[in-house]
């Protein structure tokens, strides 16, 4: 009931409406009852395919909440909205038992985001994928995210 995304053109598209058999227009603003009610996983996957077709980093960046790097959590997202835009997800967080230094593991995919992979840290010559918490911009192999680009799901 809590799963919903905003389409790029502004419409809010909750899975709860999809599960009732309603289907959104590409803007997400107009709905029609055109399918049987279905809350199955197969229906959810079709819903997500629809989300991937009509939502992206431009809309997702606007609906996520700002987060601060010192308070970073697993599941947070570094995101640069746009056309193209990109996002990387914090998949894991480790803290040294003595020094309390934190490291993060980042994952990404491309559209649609179905096959995630771990990012290499270009700053680590040994090939380690672990990143220190950034105190400025986050540099990944392909994208640089501004220091204020960390977001959290509502």
């Amino acid at each position: 009931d809590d799963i919903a995304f905003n389409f790029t053109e502004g419409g809010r598209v909750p899975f709860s409406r999809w599960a009732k058999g309603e289907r959104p227009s590409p803007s997400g603003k107009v709905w029609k009852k055109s399918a049987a009610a279905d809350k199955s996983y197969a229906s959810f996957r079709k819903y997500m395919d629809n989300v991937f077709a009509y939502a992206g980093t431009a809309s997702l960046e606007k609906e996520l909440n700002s987060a601060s790097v010192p308070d970073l959590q697993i599941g947070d997202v570094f995101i640069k909205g746009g056309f193209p835009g990109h996002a990387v997800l914090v998949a894991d967080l480790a803290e040294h038992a003595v020094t309390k230094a934190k490291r993060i593991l980042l994952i990404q995919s491309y559209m649609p985001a179905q096959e995630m992979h771990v990012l290499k840290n270009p700053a680590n010559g040994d090939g380690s994928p672990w990143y220190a918490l950034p105190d400025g911009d986050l540099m990944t192999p392909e994208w640089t995210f501004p220091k204020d680009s960390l977001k959290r799901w509502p």
Side-chain angles (χ1 to χ4, degrees), residues 38-55:
D38 185 356
K39 291 184 176 182
S40 70
Y41 180 72
S43 177
F44 178 70
R45 285 302 307 247
K46 289 179 183 175
Y47 164 80
M48 290 304 300
D49 287 343
N50 194 259
V51 168
F52 287 140
Y54 298 108

Side-chain angles (χ1 to χ4, degrees), residues 63-81:
E63 67 182 290
L64 296 177
N65 297 327
S66 293
S68 66
V69 170
D71 186 40
L72 185 141
Q73 299 174 10
I74 294 170
D76 285 351
V77 181
F78 287 94
I79 187 165
K80 185 185 266 189

Side-chain angles (χ1 to χ4, degrees), residues 4 54 62 114 125 147:
Y54 298 108
K62 293 174 189 170
Q114 295 179 22
K147 65 179 180 176

Side-chain angles (χ1 to χ4, degrees), residues 13-140:
V13 180
F15 177 66
S16 59
R17 288 189 76 173
W18 181 279
K20 291 176 186 172
E22 298 178 58
R23 296 297 181 263
S25 65
S27 70
K29 296 177 182 177
V30 177
W31 289 78
K32 285 185 186 177
K33 172 82 171 159
S34 60
D38 185 356
K39 291 184 176 182
S40 70
Y41 180 72
S43 177
F44 178 70
R45 285 302 307 247
K46 289 179 183 175
Y47 164 80
M48 290 304 300
D49 287 343
N50 194 259
V51 168
F52 287 140
Y54 298 108
T57 58
S59 56
L60 186 60
E61 181 183 46
K62 293 174 189 170
E63 67 182 290
L64 296 177
N65 297 327
S66 293
S68 66
V69 170
D71 186 40
L72 185 141
Q73 299 174 10
I74 294 170
D76 285 351
V77 181
F78 287 94
I79 187 165
K80 185 185 266 189
F83 307 95
H86 196 63
V88 297
L89 181 71
V90 177
D92 204 359
L93 174 66
E95 183 175 15
H96 191 279
V98 175
T99 67
K100 304 298 183 194
K102 294 180 180 179
R103 299 286 184 264
I104 55 175
L105 193 66
L106 302 173
I107 58 176
Q108 73 174 12
S109 181
Y110 289 94
M111 293 300 287
Q114 295 179 22
E115 295 185 14
M116 304 298 281
H117 63 270
V118 175
L119 289 175
K120 291 182 179 179
N121 182 345
N124 288 338
D126 64 0
S128 171
W130 291 92
Y131 287 74
L133 294 186
D135 56 2
D137 293 348
L138 171 67
M139 296 177 65
T140 70

